[in-house]
């Protein structure tokens, strides 16, 4: 059975990295959930906004496949830009929708992890005073409502660069939120912590850029492997990404790329047919 | 209360028209449903695929607003590329998902129409022999499960150009499917018919191009007004589109466009801030 991961939180889990600034991740063993169905993953995965872009889940999934080459992994995208921790409490529509989508997805997949990133929208107005309880409530509610009491959850810290420029200026208390995320990430069983330390932002001062998102996905995966007590030593972030990027594309992946170019009107039907035949003949 | 429309069917309802080949439709009174929330509409509305593009619903909504300038209209996108009529029967996940999404959306909107376009995936292998019953079942199931027995539904015919080139070559029996769509569209109470006659396709030979999709949305709206017995005479398709395109953008619409450009990395933060201030000062 396919494995799956649920991705939840706000925009930096959905992804706002610019699409063309990093190498593509295309892998016919990575799927994404749309309209109650699985399709081969193509970024943006979590289309909560028309400006959605690169998030951490593609490189997480690709890193996971390096350790599980015979498996398939499917991403259930339920993150919502700008959402607050209060909007993720278990009686709220965002939470209910994530549970509903995941339960349908679990009819033919097995959930192996939940990836969570949220907090920018709570980094002001002393909202941190209630944040720890609310965060724990959300994580525990995912486990209880999915009836998976020990499902690994990886949560990530907020960027150190918040509060300095652009839209990030509103995040005046992100350090206090980060203290709580670190505490929760280090204290609850089967909850792991991915650090955003040193990651860089888009010019808007709030969204992780694509290069950072690729790295962040690897950090989420490394935190996951720690939770799972994998014995093998982990390569560096850069080496793992290099492994991912250097994978030779399969016939299905070449076809996916060709179909995308044609469907977007970037190549003519003649070029399409020629390339189609070359790919089909295994060239 | 906001009004809403549900859009269902396959890829030509979702939309595959190339985004940059037609003028934008931006209107702060048009919303779209994402993650159980309303956001201002930006195409692509129905993101069933990463190659989603222009469909008929934006021009439908904009035409609707010409007649209801004080209202707001919200689009619930549930169309799925490549889906067959069998996959839309009321016990199937696509149908169930559309009902679930719509019921949540109806907590704060009032459904005024369902727009349906489907049939390419049934235009072969004698699938037309069961198509009429299955189509009627789907339409009646939407009404019964939403508990809206007389909700206006507009269905559209398939392109005359199918069966001639590219991916459309597989649609060898689209005329037979069209006969059924026309019959159903002319015989069931409160079901209207939008004709695809004369509309043109992308080079793939199966997807309506953007120019045609804008026109198709107007035809869907004209069929809707007939169902509603609006007494006013309707302008031509071209005149209605001209009205839509010539609307002066509001401050919120200008800001939406500016935010999009910045979020996609197309303008610098300095340009963003300058334009932001100009828009804010009503320039």
């Amino acid at each position: 059975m396919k494995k799956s991961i649920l991705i939840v939180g706000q925009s930096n889990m959905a992804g706002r990295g610019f699409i063309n600034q990093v190498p593509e991740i295309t892998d016919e063993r990575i799927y994404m959930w749309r309209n109650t169905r699985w399709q081969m993953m193509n970024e943006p995965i979590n289309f909560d906004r028309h400006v959605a872009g690169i998030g951490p889940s593609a490189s997480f999934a690709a890193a996971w496949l390096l350790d599980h080459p015979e498996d398939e992994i499917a991403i259930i995208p339920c993150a919502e830009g700008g959402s607050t921790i209060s909007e993720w409490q278990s009686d709220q529509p965002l939470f209910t929708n994530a549970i509903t989508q995941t339960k349908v997805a679990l009819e033919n997949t097995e959930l192996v992890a939940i990836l969570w990133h949220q907090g920018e929208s709570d980094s002001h107005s002393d909202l941190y005073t209630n944040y720890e309880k609310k965060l724990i409530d959300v994580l525990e509610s995912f486990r209880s409502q999915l009836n998976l009491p020990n499902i690994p959850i990886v949560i990530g810290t907020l960027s150190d660069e918040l509060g300095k420029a652009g839209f990030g200026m509103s995040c005046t208390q992100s350090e206090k939120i980060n203290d709580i995320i670190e505490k929760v990430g280090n204290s609850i069983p089967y909850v792991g912590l991915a650090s955003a330390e040193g990651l860089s932002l888009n010019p808007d001062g709030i969204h992780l850029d694509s290069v950072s998102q690729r790295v962040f996905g690897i950090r989420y995966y490394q935190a996951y492997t720690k939770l799972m007590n994998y014995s093998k030593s982990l390569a560096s972030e850069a080496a793992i990404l290099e492994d991912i990027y250097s994978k030779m594309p399969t016939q299905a992946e070449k076809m996916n790329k060709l179909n995308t170019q044609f469907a977007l009107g970037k190549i003519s039907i003649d070029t399409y047919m020629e390339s189609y035949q070359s790919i089909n003949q295994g060239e």
Side-chain angles (χ1 to χ4, degrees), chain A:
Chain A
M1 191 184 263
K2 262 193 204 76
K3 304 301 191 292
S4 59
I5 55 172
L6 168 63
I7 66 170
V8 270
Q10 60 177 114
S11 56
N12 278 322
M13 178 52 68
R16 297 290 187 268
F18 305 147
I19 285 276
N20 294 322
Q21 289 190 343
V22 282
E24 279 182 357
I25 293 180
T26 319
D27 194 310
E28 60 174 305
R29 299 165 300 169
I30 309 179
Y31 293 80
M32 60 183 182
W33 186 245
R34 285 266 191 286
N35 269 343
T36 75
R37 296 172 160 204
W38 295 113
Q39 57 181 261
M40 190 172 153
M41 184 273 283
N42 280 284
E43 294 178 280
I45 295 166
N46 191 114
F47 201 72
D48 58 317
R49 294 288 182 284
H50 65 297
V51 294
I54 305 286
S57 62
S59 55
F60 178 95
W64 188 91
L65 282 171
L66 292 175
D67 285 334
H68 307 78
E70 305 301 320
D71 266 321
E72 295 180 318
I73 188 158
I75 301 166
I76 308 162
C78 293
E80 171 67 19
S83 55
T84 62
I85 194 73
S86 296
E87 292 170 327
W88 280 100
Q89 300 299 296
S90 62
D91 58 347
Q92 295 296 305
L94 288 178
F95 181 90
T96 311
N97 179 59
I99 295 293
T100 306
Q101 297 292 329
T102 305
K103 281 187 174 169
V104 183
L106 293 190
E107 288 173 13
N108 56 11
T109 63
E110 178 198 342
L111 198 71
V112 295
I114 297 173
L115 310 186
W116 168 268
H117 191 276
Q118 194 276 337
E120 293 89 344
S121 290
D122 291 275
S123 291
H124 62 89
S125 311
D126 293 346
L127 292 173
Y128 69 88
T129 52
N130 294 311
Y131 193 78
E132 182 174 344
K133 181 184 178 317
K134 287 186 174 181
L135 175 56
I136 292 172
D137 278 353
V138 172
L139 304 184
E140 290 183 345
S141 298
F142 277 123
R143 287 177 166 170
S144 62
Q145 294 210 16
L146 292 171
N147 205 16
L148 295 167
N150 295 322
I151 186 79
I153 303 179
V154 184
I155 66 178
T157 61
L158 307 181
S159 162
D160 304 328
E161 301 298 311
L162 293 174
K164 296 181 183 169
F167 299 148
M169 296 287 279
S170 62
C171 302
T172 53
Q173 297 175 325
S174 56
E175 288 180 21
K176 288 190 188 296
I177 294 289
N178 261 350
D179 290 344
I180 296 167
I181 293 172
E182 283 176 23
K183 182 178 167 195
V184 171
N186 287 320
S187 61
I188 299 188
Y190 303 107
V191 174
L193 186 69
S195 170
E197 198 181 343
L199 298 184
S200 48
L201 299 175
N202 282 347
D204 62 10
I206 195 158
H207 292 126
L208 293 167
D209 62 31
S210 335
V211 173
S212 293
Q213 285 284 20
R214 290 283 195 240
V215 172
F216 210 19
I218 304 301
R219 292 184 186 175
Y220 266 83
Y221 182 65
Q222 290 171 325
Y224 171 80
T225 59
K226 256 170 78 178
L227 286 180
M228 302 299 285
N229 290 315
Y230 286 3
S231 57
K232 60 164 76 174
S233 69
L234 272 167
S236 73
E237 292 158 3
I240 296 173
L241 279 174
E242 184 50 38
D243 264 7
I244 292 169
Y245 292 145
S246 61
K247 186 178 92 65
M248 293 297 291
T250 64
Q251 196 176 43
E253 289 153 17
K254 286 180 191 169
M255 212 58 104
N256 171 69
K257 192 167 179 172
L258 181 68
N259 283 328
T260 298
Q261 291 174 311
F262 186 49
L264 294 174
K266 292 182 178 170
I267 54 174
S268 72
I269 191 158
D270 291 342
T271 306
Y272 176 78
M273 291 310 298
E274 268 175 47
S275 304
Y276 183 93
Q277 281 166 9
S278 305
I279 293 171
N280 240 350
Q281 288 159 10
E283 283 168 24

